[in-house]
Amino acid sequence: RQEEARISESLRRSEQLLEESQHIAQVGSFSRNLATEQVAWSAEQFRLFGYEPGEVDVTLELVRSHVHPEDVDAWLAGIEALVECGAPYDEEYRIIRTDGEIRTVHSLARVEVGSDGQPIRMFGAMQDVTERRRAEDALFCGLEFEEPEALDSKIPGALREEFNRRQHPRIPITGKRGVLVERSVGNQHLRACLVDISQGGMQLQLD
């Protein structure tokens, strides 16, 4: 019994440390059972959306209601490509908190597959990157009018890709799928699946 108590206390401390670390870093975690559609959030994930931990029952529709209207299509397309095809999910989008504040989040996710190769669970992490985005906005302000050769001394190399991305409009839902298709070279199964989605062969269902 002493050994069981020791293990239980160790697990409790590990969970507490994880929760404290997520709170400090503003990183939440989530999972979604693809068979039952049950969604689970960590305590910090609730806080990112403006809720107290456990305050609401989380559903995919609830999450969708918090995604900025201009970002919903891209958000859905990313989830659809991940669940149906296993495409990498690494997205930034805006959410609207319960108090009406708009925040920018960066989300990473993957799927777990069963013995039959079919996806059974989606899980991932989300971080609030609003302040970082605001700092980048301030840095990039006005630089779009600079000559390309002058940018080398004004934009750190690590931020050059982000600056270039902002030079183009947000990729529409069909364009996003097209980008995923192009990145799938070398993985014929993924490519075929994404092409099917692009042609309207699959739709993400929200009950």
Side-chain angles (χ1 to χ4, degrees):
R1 290 187 177 181
Q2 288 183 344
E3 179 65 13
E4 292 179 356
R6 186 189 65 80
I7 294 174
S8 178
E9 177 63 15
S10 178
L11 289 173
R12 187 191 66 79
R13 290 181 178 178
S14 295
E15 291 173 355
Q16 182 180 5
L17 178 61
L18 175 61
E19 182 174 341
E20 292 173 349
S21 299
Q22 286 193 344
H23 185 57
I24 292 172
Q26 290 186 293
V27 175
S29 56
F30 58 88
S31 67
R32 172 186 164 206
N33 185 311
L34 299 177
T36 65
E37 291 301 331
Q38 182 178 7
V39 180
W41 280 357
S42 69
E44 189 59 24
Q45 187 78 354
F46 278 98
R47 297 188 187 101
L48 288 176
F49 284 86
Y51 295 105
E52 289 300 315
E55 179 181 344
V56 293
D57 292 327
V58 185
T59 63
L60 192 60
E61 187 58 47
L62 174 74
V63 181
R64 178 178 181 172
S65 71
H66 283 283
V67 178
H68 194 286
E70 294 179 3
D71 297 346
V72 166
D73 283 349
W75 175 75
L76 286 172
I79 294 177
E80 186 178 13
L82 170 66
V83 172
E84 300 293 351
C85 307
Y89 187 87
D90 183 350
E91 302 291 338
E92 259 190 32
Y93 52 91
R94 292 164 293 174
I95 63 171
I96 304 175
R97 288 167 42 92
T98 56
D99 59 6
E101 182 180 9
I102 297 175
R103 307 291 291 183
T104 301
V105 296
H106 179 206
S107 185
L108 297 167
R110 58 175 294 186
V111 291
E112 175 186 350
V113 298
S115 58
D116 59 355
Q118 296 301 308
I120 59 176
R121 187 171 71 99
M122 171 184 170
F123 61 96
M126 174 187 292
Q127 182 176 29
D128 187 328
V129 295
T130 306
E131 302 311 321
R132 187 182 77 192
R133 278 288 165 255
R134 288 174 179 170
E136 290 175 356
D137 287 343
L139 173 64
F140 295 155
C141 184
L143 291 181
E144 63 267 27
F145 302 109
E146 295 280 355
E147 293 297 326
E149 57 271 16
L151 295 176
D152 290 332
S153 61
K154 296 183 178 182
I155 302 180
L159 294 177
R160 179 61 58 81
E161 182 177 349
E162 174 61 22
F163 176 75
N164 291 336
R165 184 185 69 81
R166 294 190 184 201
Q167 293 301 95
H168 302 87
R170 170 174 282 276
I171 300 172
I173 186 167
T174 53
K176 175 181 175 61
R177 288 167 171 165
V179 169
L180 287 170
V181 169
E182 291 306 312
R183 290 178 181 174
S184 66
V185 174
N187 187 331
Q188 296 304 315
H189 172 73
L190 174 58
R191 185 179 182 84
C193 184
L194 289 169
V195 167
D196 192 17
I197 288 180
S198 296
Q199 294 173 347
M202 299 178 182
Q203 296 294 327
L204 180 69
Q205 298 298 321
L206 290 176
D207 297 323

